[in-house]
Amino acid sequence: MKRAARLILLTMLAVVAAGVLPVSAASPHENPDTAPFVFDGAAVLGKYSEALDAVLQKDSAAVESLQGQVPLANIPTDLRDTVDMFLSSGRSLAQIVFQITAKLDKSRELMGQFRPDDAQKAAEGMQEDLAEARSHLGVMEDKAQRTGQRWRVDSATQGSALRLAYSEVMYRLARVRALLDLLGEISQSTGLQIGKLTGEGLTLRPTSLTLRVEPGAAFVGDTVSVQGTLRSGATNLVGKQVTILLDGSPAMVVSTSNGGGYRGRIQLPYRYVPEMNLQAIYYPRGNDIGTYLGSSSPEVAISVLYFNTQLTLDVPQGGNPGRNLKVNGLLYYGHNMVPESRNVSIYWDGALFGEMTTRETFSVDLPLPADTSLARHQLMFSVSPQGKYAPTQASAEVEVSKIVPTIVMDTPTAVLLPLTQYITGRIYSPLGPLQDTAVTAALGDWETSSPTSDDGSFRLSLRTGLVLSLVGTQKLVVTASPSEPWHESASASASLLVVNFAGISLVFFLLMAAAAFGAVRLRKRPLPAVQPVAVTPVAVAAADVSAPEPIVPEAQGTRSHRDVMLGLYRRTLQFVQRVTSVVLRPSHTLREYADDCAPRLGPLGGRFREFTLMIERLLYSRHGAAEPEVLRAGDLNKGFTDREDGGRENT
Amino acid sequence: MRILRLVALSVAVILPVSWLSIVFYPSAQDFMKTNPFWNGVRDFSNRYQAEVTSTLDKYLAEPKGSVLIEIPYVPYDSQQLQQLVAFVGAGGTLVVMDDFGYGNQVLQALGSDMEFSGAPLLDPYLSYRNLRFPQIADLAPELKGLGIDHLTLNNATALNVRGPYQILAQSSDTSFLDTNNSATWDEWERKGPFTVVASTRVANGTVVAVSDPSILINSMVERGDNGTFMKWAMGLAAGNTRVAIDASHLTKAPLDRSKETWGTVRERLDSPYSQVLLVGAIMSLTLIPMWRKGANFDQGQ
């Protein structure tokens, strides 16, 4: 019945709890106030490269747009000003480069119109502009280096995304510097030309330059031929130097040959971008200054080809410290030819973990260090560029955790102290039984340990001792401390009934001894003397009924009126108890007792109530007993004794 | 008898405790109106007078001037989809906010070419705290004109938009769709910009697709200009706008279901007929013992 009731109650509780308790489900978002800060240095450096590309294209609006993004960008606070200053300088630099180019074009145009004074005016401040541009470039270089230091690019491994991004920034900074140098040369040449034009009254001959690039599409690393003609009117200019710009910065210088033609071969850099732009420019140098005007060819775009590589990884979701993590990978080249080999760098949380060479598929066992932290780790495989084959990378997250072994133990249900207890069991994990693992069993202050055997089993003998408690439950805790770093320490516990057999025996013995001693003492003790009652009016009718001592005190010594009245009441009380079988309990007041008994006494009930009230007044007030009251008490008592005597006679 | 007494006692204790818990214990579930914590929608609901309810009858009945926000985390059946199509067709404004749920069911039912990508949209550069909180600064002029500078998303996805849709917000060019959940950009993964908010007219109504419902939650609604954006979305319905978040397609915990049931019961009790019935029932329950006593007294006499 009780079990059924419990079951019903539990079921009801479970049903109700299921209805009201909140349950949090898998969340499609995270708390933005507690989300971790994660910054990406490669992304920030990528923005630097974008800004530098915009500078090369003289597009200050694009740099301004990038600068506008800074307040929303995920940048460490200590780097925010650095990034802002880099982009601010970039924007100014792009503007200045644009201005210089515009001034050069205008100056050239005015010289062609033989307006040296206007040309001079147009070219004014070019050197200052260049100085300012170099100053901005200096700021950008400085900020780029600071950014690199902030992300510790120096300690980043070769091939890492951060290192590559930083290299890209440095490469672009060098190109911008080369552009400024070129602009400086052109500016100088223009200045000289204007000087000659003004001083010697010469007429400058305009030039025109063409550029043809073949083929229109080429693989990275391949060379493309550039050719064109430099003319001044109908005259082919021979022996003049033409600079070829690749994506805005000077890539090579060629000289024109007979017929004004020039020809050269440029190797496309290993930049895996879809397109590169080529342009040829001519500006007068040496004796040409004061004779010819500079010119530039239209930009020619060339499609850049390369083999895409796709890397697919098969990485277990979880790993264990000290064990190998088996990773399978596939390098896919589509319909392209598979290369002889590819160099693959493996990064664990951004640090170089290992390198290998592979072709198409690979399977590698990565030995995770025993001290690998138990967390989610980033594993990245980076395939280096190799000729026409573009670099690629793939990454995965690996949750590193320890395996918690299972302890199965066989324990006694009760432990008798101080006997030795034997605990047996087995420890295993999904990898199999745990061998030579230290197992410790602790019960209160007693502890023992032993290693597991080859099959993971253990047998512990736990020596117990004496304690003060006699009986109770105690927790037995068995702990396994595996030596393998991939296994977590585990523990299992059981609640055991501990019976202190020795203690119980001792206490029992002591109690028995105390009882025996007490019995002997009682037997030897003399019985208290009975005080004779000297006053009538009636003899004690039934001596075997004992009156409650605390309520009606015994009369002692010389008998006063009070003692006489009390003695009479005691006798009356004995009679009432016998007749009514109502026992006077310690909790009863005399009045309550009288009220309880009165209905059973019939006509004597009233007398008993009256007598009781008299006695109460005598006992609990200052009122002393007077002669008439003693007489009345005797009278009231007589009513009872007469009835008692009458009863005896009838029997 | 003792079991019966125990059961009665349990019921007498558990029912009031449960009722109090249902009424006063706040929900901790995502998008719940009674959830005052970071992932609830109490702030949004209070501030914009948006009702979070599973009973959409009054909105479906009066599409004009109604804005219905769908956060489709539970699949739709064909009848529900038809109701939504009818709602939009009759001039209602439907805002479908989804990331990894069943939003494509709704878009397909509306005959839209748009779809939610379902891949996490990450941005390592333009983001708040980390790449899972993309900041969206590429906004349509009509949003910029309202003073909306940027939106902040929280574990969002992107919209694949093919067709004549109005692109209202796009992620940056550093964003990417992390199809393999590696939290880093891999060579084959598409890079941004991606559409995150787009709208289109369907029949007489308007459909706005937002690739992150999390902008509604208490911790996000005032981040960036998310609140102003939602205000704009709710203003798409002409006239006196009524806004409802459809709670029937949200995943709910048992507490939320209990709260919802209690809400329905309370709603029903609000009607005059129900109140008359309730008063009648209470009076009957109170008077029956007295009638019985009276009958016994009569019999005794």
Side-chain angles (χ1 to χ4, degrees):
Chain A
M1 283 288 272
K2 272 187 181 175
R3 284 185 66 185
R6 275 185 206 152
L7 200 67
I8 291 168
L9 188 62
L10 282 174
T11 311
M12 286 180 70
L13 277 171
V15 168
V16 172
V20 297
L21 289 182
V23 177
S24 57
S27 185
H29 38 230
E30 56 190 308
N31 189 346
D33 296 324
T34 56
F37 282 99
V38 181
F39 303 108
D40 191 329
V44 175
L45 291 168
K47 286 291 164 186
Y48 281 10
S49 289
E50 267 186 51
L52 289 165
D53 283 340
V55 169
L56 287 166
Q57 288 160 16
K58 308 166 194 85
D59 186 355
S60 63
V63 190
E64 193 175 355
S65 164
L66 289 174
Q67 199 183 1
Q69 291 179 346
V70 171
L72 297 179
N74 188 27
I75 302 169
T77 316
D78 59 323
L79 202 62
R80 201 162 274 278
D81 285 346
T82 305
V83 175
D84 196 48
M85 286 170 80
F86 180 93
L87 294 172
S88 180
S89 290
R91 189 185 62 183
S92 303
L93 182 57
Q95 278 171 346
I96 293 168
V97 170
F98 179 80
Q99 282 169 14
I100 293 171
T101 316
K103 279 179 183 177
L104 284 172
D105 289 345
K106 187 71 184 169
S107 177
R108 201 180 295 150
E109 187 188 329
L110 291 168
M111 281 192 288
Q113 294 166 1
F114 195 62
R115 293 161 61 191
D117 293 340
D118 291 340
Q120 178 74 47
K121 210 174 274 180
E124 258 175 22
M126 227 163 17
Q127 289 306 318
E128 287 80 2
D129 287 348
L130 273 168
E132 198 184 338
R134 288 203 171 92
S135 162
H136 283 303
L137 182 62
V139 171
M140 292 179 85
E141 284 169 339
D142 177 54
K143 299 305 170 197
Q145 278 167 7
R146 278 197 191 182
T147 308
Q149 284 162 6
R150 167 64 177 75
W151 296 110
R152 295 182 185 160
V153 172
D154 288 344
S155 54
T157 44
Q158 292 291 336
S160 65
L162 186 67
R163 196 74 182 248
L164 288 172
Y166 188 71
S167 304
E168 288 287 314
V169 173
M170 289 298 138
Y171 169 71
R172 282 169 172 78
L173 282 168
R175 285 178 59 202
V176 173
R177 188 159 283 284
L179 175 66
L180 292 184
D181 290 345
L182 181 68
L183 288 173
E185 280 181 33
I186 297 171
S187 149
Q188 208 172 6
S189 154
T190 308
L192 287 171
Q193 274 191 307
I194 293 168
K196 279 203 168 184
L197 202 62
T198 313
E200 298 170 21
L202 297 171
T203 307
L204 290 178
R205 293 181 217 158
T207 57
S208 64
L209 190 59
T210 60
L211 171 68
R212 207 173 75 210
V213 182
E214 281 182 343
F219 278 98
V220 287
D222 279 2
T223 51
V224 291
S225 78
V226 288
Q227 53 184 313
T229 317
L230 178 65
R231 290 174 196 271
S232 176
T235 315
N236 295 327
L237 299 180
V238 181
K240 311 296 176 200
Q241 288 190 321
V242 173
T243 306
I244 309 293
L245 302 179
L246 180 66
D247 278 345
S249 62
M252 69 180 295
V253 177
V254 288
S255 295
T256 55
S257 56
N258 292 335
Y262 67 89
R263 190 182 287 270
R265 293 184 75 77
I266 289 183
Q267 186 184 21
L268 294 182
Y270 286 97
R271 287 173 50 216
Y272 301 87
V273 290
E275 200 176 84
M276 291 184 198
N277 289 307
L278 289 160
Q279 189 180 29
I281 59 164
Y282 163 73
Y283 58 93
R285 307 171 204 207
N287 294 331
D288 290 346
I289 294 171
T291 309
Y292 296 108
L293 279 170
S295 59
S296 58
S297 74
E299 277 195 351
V300 177
I302 180 166
S303 297
V304 180
L305 305 175
Y306 51 87
F307 294 138
N308 265 321
T309 312
Q310 193 171 316
L311 172 60
T312 312
L313 293 178
D314 178 18
V315 183
Q317 284 188 339
N320 312 117
R323 293 189 75 221
N324 285 348
L325 183 76
K326 194 175 188 67
V327 179
N328 298 312
L330 169 69
L331 283 164
Y332 180 67
Y333 303 95
H335 298 297
N336 302 319
M337 202 171 63
V338 177
E340 282 298 309
S341 66
R342 297 296 297 269
N343 294 325
V344 181
S345 303
I346 305 159
Y347 297 92
W348 181 259
D349 287 340
L352 186 66
F353 192 85
E355 287 175 314
M356 63 175 189
T357 305
T358 185
R359 200 162 178 237
E360 252 186 310
T361 58
F362 60 86
S363 180
V364 59
D365 285 322
L366 304 176
L368 299 185
D371 58 351
T372 306
S373 62
L374 305 180
R376 289 184 84 82
H377 294 267
Q378 192 78 30
L379 178 67
M380 187 175 83
F381 280 63
S382 177
V383 183
S384 307
Q386 187 166 324
K388 294 168 183 170
Y389 294 89
T392 188
Q393 62 183 40
S395 54
E397 283 192 333
V398 180
E399 178 87 45
V400 174
S401 59
K402 288 193 173 189
I403 302 165
V404 181
T406 306
I407 302 175
V408 179
M409 59 180 182
D410 186 16
T411 56
T413 48
V415 174
L416 292 179
L417 300 183
L419 302 178
T420 300
Q421 305 301 317
Y422 294 98
I423 299 145
T424 57
R426 196 165 67 87
I427 303 175
Y428 62 92
S429 76
L431 303 176
L434 270 71
Q435 302 167 358
D436 203 27
T437 294
V439 188
T440 307
L443 180 73
D445 294 334
W446 305 296
E447 199 175 288
T448 183
S449 64
S450 164
T452 54
S453 54
D454 288 350
D455 62 350
S457 63
F458 61 87
R459 179 183 163 81
L460 300 167
S461 56
L462 183 67
R463 285 190 173 186
T464 60
L466 287 175
V467 286
L468 288 176
S469 65
L470 299 179
V471 67
T473 55
Q474 224 167 1
K475 194 172 268 187
L476 171 76
V477 180
V478 174
T479 311
S481 308
S483 52
E484 303 92 350
W486 55 85
H487 276 130
E488 185 78 275
S489 291
S491 65
S493 63
S495 194
L496 303 182
L497 178 69
V498 177
V499 182
N500 186 350
F501 185 68
I504 289 172
S505 304
L506 183 68
V507 169
F508 182 72
F509 173 76
L510 287 175
L511 284 174
M512 290 301 289
F517 180 72
V520 169
R521 285 286 303 265
L522 281 172
R523 204 168 291 165
K524 284 180 181 173
R525 200 173 169 182
L527 291 169
V530 178
Q531 292 291 329
V533 178
V535 167
T536 48
V538 284
V540 176
D544 55 334
V545 176
S546 60
E549 249 177 76
I551 297 174
V552 184
E554 287 268 17
Q556 290 187 0
T558 314
R559 295 182 65 100
S560 61
H561 289 322
R562 174 188 160 93
D563 295 339
V564 171
M565 279 179 75
L566 288 175
L568 290 170
Y569 186 70
R570 281 176 59 81
R571 282 182 201 160
T572 307
L573 204 57
Q574 285 168 358
F575 170 78
V576 170
Q577 282 194 351
R578 195 165 52 245
V579 170
T580 60
S581 304
V582 178
V583 179
L584 177 60
R585 291 197 192 93
S587 59
H588 265 130
T589 63
L590 291 176
R591 190 180 299 206
E592 285 170 355
Y593 183 70
D595 288 343
D596 286 353
C597 296
R600 302 183 188 203
L601 293 170
L604 286 175
R607 295 173 73 88
F608 184 56
R609 271 204 188 107
E610 187 189 342
F611 201 1
T612 303
L613 291 174
M614 281 174 69
I615 292 300
E616 269 193 349
R617 198 166 52 178
L618 189 67
L619 285 172
Y620 306 124
S621 74
R622 289 185 176 182
H623 180 78
E627 186 70 32
E629 284 171 323
V630 176
L631 291 173
R632 179 62 184 155
D635 188 32
L636 289 170
N637 173 254
K638 198 166 180 302
F640 291 97
T641 48
D642 286 352
R643 184 63 61 89
E644 192 177 30
D645 294 343
R648 275 190 198 153
E649 279 166 17
N650 289 339
T651 52
Chain B
M1 275 304 280
R2 285 185 64 191
I3 291 179
L4 278 177
R5 200 177 294 170
L6 187 68
V7 169
L9 185 71
S10 308
V11 170
V13 173
I14 288 167
L15 279 184
V17 170
S18 307
W19 179 78
L20 287 171
S21 306
I22 289 165
V23 174
F24 294 109
Y25 199 88
S27 168
Q29 191 71 3
D30 292 325
F31 303 110
M32 287 297 146
K33 190 193 173 179
T34 57
N35 178 354
F37 309 113
W38 68 272
N39 57 340
V41 293
R42 196 176 69 168
D43 292 352
F44 171 76
S45 171
N46 290 346
R47 197 162 301 156
Y48 300 105
Q49 304 296 311
E51 193 184 3
V52 184
T53 177
S54 294
T55 45
L56 301 169
D57 299 347
K58 64 177 172 185
Y59 299 95
L60 296 172
E62 280 184 63
K64 280 192 178 164
S66 295
V67 177
L68 188 55
I69 298 173
E70 288 290 326
I71 303 174
Y73 280 178
V74 172
Y76 291 77
D77 59 35
S78 54
Q79 193 192 346
Q80 290 166 334
L81 290 171
Q82 277 170 11
Q83 281 180 330
L84 291 180
V85 172
F87 171 78
V88 176
T93 301
L94 182 69
V95 182
V96 187
M97 306 181 81
D98 187 23
D99 41 21
F100 312 109
Y102 298 90
N104 287 338
Q105 265 193 307
V106 179
L107 294 179
Q108 278 166 16
L110 291 164
S112 168
D113 286 339
M114 270 192 292
E115 61 176 20
F116 293 97
S117 153
L121 174 70
L122 307 183
D123 195 329
Y125 182 70
L126 270 195
S127 51
Y128 171 76
R129 282 195 178 227
N130 63 53
L131 74 179
R132 295 186 193 280
F133 294 87
Q135 307 257 41
I136 307 299
D138 185 0
L139 303 169
E142 59 185 291
L143 295 183
K144 287 268 186 192
L146 292 170
I148 302 175
D149 180 61
H150 68 279
L151 307 177
T152 305
L153 308 186
N154 183 337
N155 287 265
T157 186
L159 281 162
N160 295 328
V161 179
R162 298 180 295 271
Y165 298 102
Q166 190 181 7
I167 309 293
L168 292 162
Q170 282 189 312
S171 63
S172 81
D173 55 0
T174 46
S175 63
F176 63 95
L177 287 175
D178 187 26
T179 48
N180 63 348
N181 287 310
S182 65
T184 53
W185 177 72
D186 295 300
E187 200 73 30
W188 63 88
E189 286 173 340
R190 281 169 61 204
K191 274 209 160 194
F194 297 104
T195 303
V196 292
V197 183
S199 75
T200 185
R201 297 282 300 172
V202 175
N204 297 316
T206 306
V207 176
V208 180
V210 183
S211 65
D212 183 21
S214 308
I215 61 173
L216 293 183
I217 61 176
N218 297 334
S219 55
M220 293 298 297
V221 73
E222 288 309 318
R223 209 167 283 281
D225 296 310
N226 292 354
T228 320
F229 167 73
M230 284 312 298
K231 202 173 166 186
W232 166 84
M234 289 181 303
L236 289 174
N240 296 325
T241 309
R242 296 176 300 276
V243 183
I245 297 176
D246 179 8
S248 63
H249 289 88
L250 294 171
T251 46
K252 295 187 194 82
L255 175 65
D256 303 303
R257 279 195 286 273
S258 306
K259 276 179 184 290
E260 201 172 85
T261 310
W262 169 241
T264 313
V265 169
R266 219 173 48 176
E267 228 168 66
R268 293 207 175 139
L269 289 178
D270 274 349
S271 77
Y273 297 113
S274 305
Q275 285 183 359
V276 168
L277 274 175
L278 189 68
V279 170
I282 290 170
M283 285 181 70
S284 305
L285 284 171
T286 319
L287 294 175
I288 279 172
M290 290 173 69
W291 288 336
R292 278 187 183 163
K293 268 192 179 174
N296 292 342
F297 182 72
D298 291 343
Q299 280 174 2
Q301 272 193 337

